[in-house]
Amino acid sequence: MYFYAVIELAIIGTGKVARALLHGLRHSGQVRVVQVVGRDPVALSTVKEEVPVALPEAIIASADMYLIAVSDDVIPSVSEWVKSPDKLVVHTSGAVPIDALAARHRKGVCYPLQSFSEGRNPDLREVPFFLEAEHKRDLPLLHALANSLSDTVQELDSATRQHLHLAAVFANNFTNHLYTLSYELMRKSGLSPGLLRPLIHETAQKIGEMDPFDAQTGPARRGDKGSMEQHLRLLEKESFKTIYSLLSNSILETYGKKL
Amino acid sequence: MYFYAVIELAIIGTGKVARALLHGLRHSGQVRVVQVVGRDPVALSTVKEEVPVALPEAIIASADMYLIAVSDDVIPSVSEWVKSPDKLVVHTSGAVPIDALAARHRKGVCYPLQSFSEGRNPDLREVPFFLEAEHKRDLPLLHALANSLSDTVQELDSATRQHLHLAAVFANNFTNHLYTLSYELMRKSGLSPGLLRPLIHETAQKIGEMDPFDAQTGPARRGDKGSMEQHLRLLEKESFKTIYSLLSNSILETYGKKL
């Protein structure tokens, strides 16, 4: 016979990250979500899982952990909702340092490295989670939470997490913007932008098998000056020309090509 | 009883595109590859499918179509390998106009919009193929070839194909380079770059369901000046700062945000 500790968790927030984490914990035997807290009654009413919801005033006092999944800029003020001192309060942001949480709490971070969108439920077990605790004694609880969600969990301090988040801006925000620019170029030429999808998917899938450094192709990789000049002539908008030149030059430099 | 015409095809080239097309045609009842032609005996000896190989001097005279899959810059000279006049000679490049092929041939283009790498066989049936023919009467043969390979086939003139290829540079070459930069940032912080893979895959998968314009997230999308300034401070290399600023500004402009 043995005793199995169940972590009672309050989730603060009703946005995309909060919903994804709630969804990821729905079958967990280790973590029980005892409350979802938010200030918007309409948003609370649309929480799909069967779990008690509450406005900030009615926040539960007895949870083992409070997980804050809200916009970066309101993390400090939202962490004040937990009135009792010495509670384990954890935020989920890549960019915000651990000490942004209210001073009276035992502070922690549980950052999932993923881009969450309405209506999509990426497999959390494949999403890397990064943990930080103000007090070492809180790490086991953070690990138990993260392991309930994911197969890839590691500890990371606030400074390194900010570098990780910055790398993610390049890998996610900026690549997605390049998709947007390529879609605009397609539409301008009367082509369906969806035709690019297999290419975009394959480009991303490929790095599962090879380093992107080795997967690079294209005129700049070959140092093909003629093609690059022709592309610049085809581009109408000045902003597109600037981005084309800058990224081509960056590729040329990366592979030690001189024009 | 009916007669079924089989197209006898010679493939010229032994590189990644040539091998992918050869592989894609291996079960075709409509197209029979009668020869693979190349100038490098070693490369010819590694052709995996069971098909006769030949040096340029021994090129078959009786093929219904000659499909050239070689580097852009040698398409004109390689098209001279086909000595007989009035043959249907087709190249596979997105950037090269149809009239780069030798004047004595009936010219055509069959461009697969995909990035091919050694050792990967992307599902060609999902790859869009773009066709062009100098003579209308050759279009049925080009369609028969492309339909043997893919479910998405459309006609496209040389000028529009160049715009398509340019959009693909943004969607593939430039995004892959951003992966490379993000990998470098990860390594510099002592983090395994593979941790970014689920994020990169999800970013690409997402555009199967939503327009990238709507999927955009991040500091620039939110107009979050503080985060952007902090990121610029974290970046050491001048070239990374320049790319960060330019792409962030492009996002700000795209969504009508002013700092």
Side-chain angles (χ1 to χ4, degrees), chain A residues 16 72 95 113-117 119-120 122 126-128 130 152 154 156 160 162-183 185-187 189 191 195-213 215-219 222 230-231 234-235 239-240 242-244 246-248 250-251 253-255, chain B residues 16 72 95 113-117 119-120 122 126-128 130 152 154 156 160 162-183 185-187 189 191 195-213 215-219 222 230-231 234-235 239-240 242-244 246-248 250-251 253-255:
Chain A
K16 293 173 288 186
D72 286 2
L113 177 62
Q114 189 50 278
S115 158
F116 297 96
S117 292
R120 282 188 67 84
E126 293 187 2
V127 173
F130 297 88
T152 308
Q154 73 180 69
L156 202 69
T160 314
Q162 290 182 336
H163 281 278
L164 171 67
H165 182 253
L166 175 55
V169 167
F170 279 78
N172 165 265
N173 298 168
F174 290 167
T175 56
N176 186 75
H177 183 56
L178 288 176
Y179 300 160
T180 301
L181 298 183
S182 67
Y183 270 42
L185 291 173
M186 292 290 279
R187 291 193 173 106
S189 297
L191 293 160
L195 292 166
L196 291 172
R197 262 185 232 139
L199 177 66
I200 287 172
H201 289 167
E202 170 69 7
T203 306
Q205 285 304 320
K206 205 176 277 186
I207 65 153
E209 289 175 25
M210 61 205 292
D211 197 285
F213 182 91
Q216 189 65 50
T217 57
R222 296 193 304 273
Q230 195 214 1
H231 281 160
L234 290 175
L235 290 167
S239 59
F240 279 73
T242 312
I243 289 171
Y244 186 96
L246 187 70
L247 290 176
S248 293
S250 179
I251 294 171
E253 278 168 29
T254 300
Y255 296 91
Chain B
K16 294 172 287 185
D72 286 3
L113 178 61
Q114 189 50 277
S115 158
F116 296 96
S117 292
R120 282 188 68 83
E126 292 188 3
V127 172
F130 298 88
T152 308
Q154 73 180 68
L156 202 69
T160 314
Q162 289 182 336
H163 281 277
L164 171 67
H165 182 253
L166 176 55
V169 166
F170 279 77
N172 165 267
N173 299 167
F174 290 168
T175 57
N176 186 75
H177 184 56
L178 288 176
Y179 299 160
T180 301
L181 299 182
S182 68
Y183 270 43
L185 291 173
M186 292 290 279
R187 290 192 174 109
S189 298
L191 293 160
L195 291 166
L196 290 172
R197 261 183 233 139
L199 177 66
I200 287 172
H201 289 167
E202 171 69 7
T203 307
Q205 286 303 319
K206 206 176 276 186
I207 65 154
E209 289 175 26
M210 59 205 292
D211 197 287
F213 181 91
Q216 188 67 49
T217 57
R222 295 193 303 274
Q230 195 213 1
H231 281 160
L234 290 175
L235 290 168
S239 59
F240 279 73
T242 312
I243 289 171
Y244 186 95
L246 186 71
L247 290 176
S248 293
S250 178
I251 294 171
E253 278 168 30
T254 301
Y255 296 90

Side-chain angles (χ1 to χ4, degrees), chain A residues 28-241:
Chain A
S28 171
Q30 172 96 74
V31 179
R32 193 161 67 87
V33 180
V34 292
Q35 197 176 52
V36 171
V37 183
R39 89 176 92 200
D40 178 1
V42 177
L44 284 176
S45 74
T46 64
V47 170
K48 288 201 190 81
E49 324 294 329
E50 282 186 26
V51 56
V53 298
L55 292 168
E57 303 77 49
I59 200 164
I60 197 168
S62 62
D64 299 307
M65 200 191 306
Y66 297 81
L67 190 66
I68 300 182
V70 300
S71 309
D72 286 2
D73 49 331
V74 295
I75 288 173
S77 60
V78 164
S79 75
E80 299 284 354
W81 293 359
V82 183
K83 298 296 178 200
S84 331
D86 208 35
K87 287 288 179 184
L88 178 55
V89 177
V90 175
H91 78 62
T92 54
S93 163
V96 174
I98 191 171
D99 53 19
L101 295 163
R104 67 173 166 279
H105 302 308
R106 285 151 44 212
K107 306 177 192 56
V109 177
C110 177
Y111 168 52
L113 177 62
Q114 189 50 278
S115 158
F116 297 96
S117 292
E118 211 64 62
R120 282 188 67 84
N121 274 316
D123 183 3
L124 283 185
R125 296 228 66 88
E126 293 187 2
V127 173
F129 276 67
F130 297 88
L131 306 180
E132 184 178 11
E134 183 190 16
H135 303 292
K136 262 202 168 162
R137 65 180 159 116
D138 291 325
L139 277 172
L141 228 60
L142 281 166
H143 275 283
L145 169 69
N147 288 325
S148 298
L149 290 159
S150 168
D151 296 328
T152 308
V153 177
Q154 73 180 69
E155 297 173 21
L156 202 69
D157 60 55
S158 286
T160 314
R161 192 173 61 251
Q162 290 182 336
H163 281 278
L164 171 67
H165 182 253
L166 175 55
V169 167
F170 279 78
N172 165 265
N173 298 168
F174 290 167
T175 56
N176 186 75
H177 183 56
L178 288 176
Y179 300 160
T180 301
L181 298 183
S182 67
Y183 270 42
E184 186 178 328
L185 291 173
M186 292 290 279
R187 291 193 173 106
K188 193 167 270 177
S189 297
L191 293 160
S192 165
L195 292 166
L196 291 172
R197 262 185 232 139
L199 177 66
I200 287 172
H201 289 167
E202 170 69 7
T203 306
Q205 285 304 320
K206 205 176 277 186
I207 65 153
E209 289 175 25
M210 61 205 292
D211 197 285
F213 182 91
D214 300 316
Q216 189 65 50
T217 57
R221 176 66 185 93
R222 296 193 304 273
D224 178 350
K225 197 181 168 185
S227 292
M228 287 187 273
E229 283 173 354
Q230 195 214 1
H231 281 160
L232 285 171
R233 278 194 300 274
L234 290 175
L235 290 167
E236 287 171 22
K237 276 194 190 175
E238 218 40 59
S239 59
F240 279 73
K241 285 182 201 279

